[in-house]
Structures are given as structure tokens and as C-alpha cells.
Amino acid sequence: MNIKQLEYFIALAEELHFGRAAERLGMAQPPLSRQIKQIEEDLGALLFNRGRNAITLTQAGERLYARGTALLSEFADIKLEIRRIGQGAEGRLRIGFVGSATYGLLPAVLKSFRAACPQVSLSLYPMNNGDLHRALVRREIDIAIARPAIEDAEVISRKLVDEELVAAVPEALDLAPRPIRLPQLQEETFILYPETPRPSFADFVLKACRDAGTEVTRRVFTMDLQTALALVSVGEGVTIVPKSVGAVQRNGIRFHALEGFAARTAISVNHRLDEQGIHVHNFVVTAQKVARKLI
């Protein structure tokens, strides 16, 4: 018995008249009679007592009517729920992000997206770029906010913002509150992140310093941006961060623009090539709109 046949049965169970049930279903009476007989044969149970002047439900018919109406109601709810998800009205979106995205861009994107799609449940996962790449490929997340872009033939990447890099240094370090030059930090310990996996933002910073004529020899690696900033705040060294990070003042740290340092870092929104979900599309569009306002 299929859903259509169940609808035939329920119509007859409610009308208790083949002619009225057939009219309600928009079909002739003989095909309806054949369908009901087929249902009874398939189930191995008589569903209707057929009298000369009336028909009534058997005990099996009464049970099927109770269970069948509940099933059709559930089926209608399922169709409505799937339709709403397909239209972007509700659902779930899993977002992985690098720590530096939480300074300015990501909170603004999330606020805008939640306002536009309040019924979509968001799950947020902080990760480094290597973990973002793996999680995206393994379908553990739907969106990756990465720095820089994730390079993979199966991933679509869109640049959101392009930022300058600034130096985060301990307050105790005697530097004038103006743009400084990288050689002024030559003797300092550089706190780099993440330590693994490599290559990473740490390698990007090392290459940028090398291209600017400064070889970083004193290095300490840590796993994430927050730990790096914590170490700077207690005087363990200096670190290089995106400019947006410096917009939030932290105790024990001063942020300095770097004169003559041309390197920039881009933050991107990434998703799988085969991801066609409306929620992903809406999130990407929202992220791009927010990014354009921040530029």
C-alpha cells in the first residue's frame, strides 16, 4: 500500500459511500473499488463491511483509519518542513572560522544573517586554516571563514576583505606610538601561530618579513591568535596580526602600523563546489554585503 492508496482508503472511510468518495477524489467509482480491494488483498484484512444499503469499517479498518490519518498528517508536516528548508526559512548551518575573523567581520555577518534568517540554527566552530580545510572536505562544516583562502579544486572561495598587517608589542617595549619599521623588532622574539598544521599564517608572516628584508631568527610558536596575544601582553615577545585585531584594545599590548611593510592578508568565505543549499548561498551573499560596507 502506498500513500495514494492510503488517501483512497481514508476518503472512503470518512464518506462510507463509494460514490461520494470517488467524487471527492476526482475519479470514477469502479477504479476506487478496485483500489480498495487491492489494499485489502495486500494487507490481508477486510477493511469494510459491505452491506446492501451501507458500508461500515471493520475493526481492522478502524485501526488503519486511526494510524493512517496520523501518518498522512505527519507526511504533510514533512513536506512543509522540507519545503521551508529548501526556501531558506529554516534549517541548520555549520560555520567554521579562524580566530581573527571574530574581530569585526564575523560578528557583523552573523548579526545580519540572523536578522534575515532567524529560523536557521547556526553552529560555530573555531579552527585554524588546516582544520577548516579538512572539516569542509569531510562535510563536517558547511562554511569556512578562512585566512587566507582555502585552495582546493573542490572548494569555492570568495575574498571578503583584504587587510594590512600590524605589530602587536608589549606596552613595556619602548616604541613611539606611530608607525614603526620592521627592523625595530629585529631583536625581539616573534610569537607565531598556528604551530600546526603547516604551512600556515605563521609561514605567511615569516615570508612577509623576509620579503621586507628582515629575517626572523627568534621564534616561538603557539596554537592560536588568542594565546599569541596573551604571551605578548606578558612581555614574551611580539606578533604580527591583521589590522582588525588591533581595533580592540587589550591590556598590556600596543598595536603599531608597520611602515614600508607591504604584505596584506585576506579573509575569505569558502564552501564545497557541490554545495547547492539555499542557506549556504544566503550566508555567502550576506557575508559579501557586510564586507563591502567594511571596506
Side-chain angles (χ1 to χ4, degrees), residues 74-278:
E74 178 69 16
F75 187 64
D77 288 345
I78 290 171
K79 291 195 294 184
L80 177 61
E81 181 179 347
I82 298 306
R83 185 179 298 115
R84 285 176 59 80
I85 292 174
Q87 294 171 346
E90 61 184 60
R92 179 184 66 157
L93 196 61
R94 302 165 299 172
I95 304 167
F97 61 94
V98 292
S100 59
T102 60
Y103 293 86
L105 179 64
L106 184 59
V109 173
L110 293 177
K111 181 179 179 180
S112 182
F113 183 79
R114 285 189 185 279
C117 306
Q119 299 305 314
V120 178
S121 175
L122 300 180
S123 299
L124 305 175
Y125 305 96
M127 302 181 186
N128 60 44
N129 247 43
D131 290 336
L132 285 173
H133 189 179
R134 283 192 294 273
L136 200 59
V137 170
R138 294 174 182 173
R139 302 181 183 276
E140 295 168 353
I141 59 174
D142 307 302
I143 289 283
I145 305 297
R147 188 191 298 275
I150 293 175
E151 296 182 4
D152 190 303
E154 300 300 316
V155 173
I156 294 177
S157 180
R158 295 178 174 87
K159 184 168 72 173
L160 295 176
V161 292
D162 198 25
E163 297 183 68
E164 298 174 5
L165 293 172
V166 299
V169 306
E171 281 185 340
L173 194 60
D174 188 19
L175 295 171
R178 59 179 173 76
I180 62 174
R181 300 190 67 85
L182 199 59
Q184 292 176 254
L185 304 176
Q186 179 77 53
E187 301 303 316
E188 303 298 325
T189 297
F190 273 66
I191 301 168
L192 303 163
Y193 62 92
E195 184 174 9
T196 59
R198 306 285 291 277
S200 66
F201 184 71
D203 298 283
F204 170 75
V205 169
L206 289 172
K207 182 179 183 303
C209 292
R210 193 177 304 117
D211 291 344
T214 298
E215 187 66 39
V216 176
T217 56
R218 301 176 62 181
R219 310 172 181 179
V220 171
F221 287 90
T222 188
M223 284 307 300
D224 54 47
L225 168 65
Q226 299 305 326
T227 306
L229 291 174
L231 291 174
V232 172
S233 70
V234 296
E236 290 298 313
V238 303
T239 191
I240 305 296
V241 298
K243 184 178 180 180
S244 58
V245 175
V248 180
Q249 294 301 312
R250 295 176 63 106
N251 291 334
I253 300 178
R254 287 180 180 172
F255 295 94
H256 293 272
L258 289 166
E259 189 176 289
F261 192 61
R264 301 177 69 86
T265 177
I267 195 162
S268 62
V269 57
N270 306 260
H271 62 87
R272 293 182 301 276
L273 183 64
D274 62 356
E275 177 57 73
Q276 303 297 323
I278 187 66

Side-chain angles (χ1 to χ4, degrees), residues 5-13 36 47-48 57 61 64-65:
Q5 288 177 316
L6 183 58
E7 291 174 345
Y8 295 156
F9 163 77
I10 288 176
L12 183 57
I36 297 300
L47 302 174
F48 295 94
L57 285 168
L64 180 59
Y65 178 72

Side-chain angles (χ1 to χ4, degrees), residues 8-9 12-13 16-19 21 29-61 64:
Y8 295 156
F9 163 77
L12 183 57
L16 292 176
H17 188 281
F18 276 97
Q29 183 174 329
L32 176 59
S33 297
R34 289 194 295 270
Q35 288 290 337
I36 297 300
K37 184 178 181 180
Q38 182 65 55
I39 294 170
E40 290 178 323
E41 290 177 356
D42 289 346
L43 296 178
L46 191 67
L47 302 174
F48 295 94
N49 294 311
R50 294 162 174 83
R52 179 175 297 181
N53 298 318
I55 63 172
T56 59
L57 285 168
T58 65
Q59 185 176 353
L64 180 59

